[in-house]
Every structure is written in structure tokens, then in C-alpha cells.
Amino acid sequence: MKTRLSEIITQRGLERRKIAKDLHIERRTFDNYVNEVTLMNSDIIARLAKYLHVSTDYLLGVDQLDDAFLNEKIDNICNELKEIIFHINIKE
């Protein structure tokens, strides 16, 4: 889990301190989870998956795709394209 969790944190430019604070977890405890010093219980895994918008399976390394995050990014891109097209149509 360390690799997947570390990857998500790094890829998204997240701060461990903020994640720990938002999830009401001591920073040291969260670092121990990330570094696999301490195993997470199912409640922490579920809360962390929800916070990161990934499935628990993805977080645990069972699924390969981060579907929720990818879908959110695709939706954002689609919305941005709609705005661009709208503004182009206004200028014409």
C-alpha cells in the first residue's frame, strides 16, 4: 500500500500534513501508515479512499486504474472545452 498511497500523494501534489488534519489523524500516525510502519484498519482505508476519490481496491493495489480520479479529470476537461467552444461561438 505504501507505493500506491505515496504515488497518489506525490502525483496530486498533496501534503501529508493536510491529509492527516482533514481526516483527524495524527501526522505521525499518518506517516506511519504511508511508510507501512503501522497497518491501517478498514475504517482508515475507507476514509482515505473517499478523501482521495479512489476505490479501496485501488488504494490496496487490487485495481490498476484510479477510475474516480480519472473520471473527475475527464469531466473537468469536458467542461473546459464547452466553455472554450461557447466563447468562440460568442466571438464569431
Side-chain angles (χ1 to χ4, degrees):
M1 178 127 62
K2 179 175 94 174
T3 303
R4 185 66 53 93
L5 185 55
S6 295
E7 284 175 3
I8 293 170
I9 291 169
T10 301
Q11 288 172 349
R12 298 184 185 179
L14 302 172
E15 295 181 23
R16 289 183 184 188
R17 174 186 47 79
K18 180 170 178 5
I19 296 169
K21 181 180 177 185
D22 290 348
L23 295 177
H24 307 288
I25 301 169
E26 292 291 327
R27 168 65 193 270
R28 178 181 232 157
T29 302
F30 184 71
D31 286 341
N32 286 340
Y33 292 150
V34 174
N35 296 322
E36 291 186 325
V37 173
T38 305
L39 294 177
M40 291 186 259
N41 64 35
S42 58
D43 177 60
I44 296 296
I45 294 169
R47 289 172 39 207
L48 190 55
K50 185 175 181 177
Y51 180 87
L52 296 171
H53 304 287
V54 297
S55 69
T56 54
D57 282 350
Y58 178 79
L59 195 59
L60 293 168
V62 176
D63 285 345
Q64 294 302 313
L65 294 176
D66 181 358
D67 291 335
F69 182 70
L70 291 175
N71 287 338
E72 181 181 334
K73 289 295 183 187
I74 290 168
D75 287 344
N76 289 341
I77 291 169
C78 288
N79 289 333
E80 288 175 20
L81 285 173
K82 286 177 187 175
E83 257 187 71
I84 291 168
I85 292 168
F86 176 76
H87 289 295
I88 289 173
N89 287 336
I90 289 177
K91 291 180 181 181
E92 292 179 349

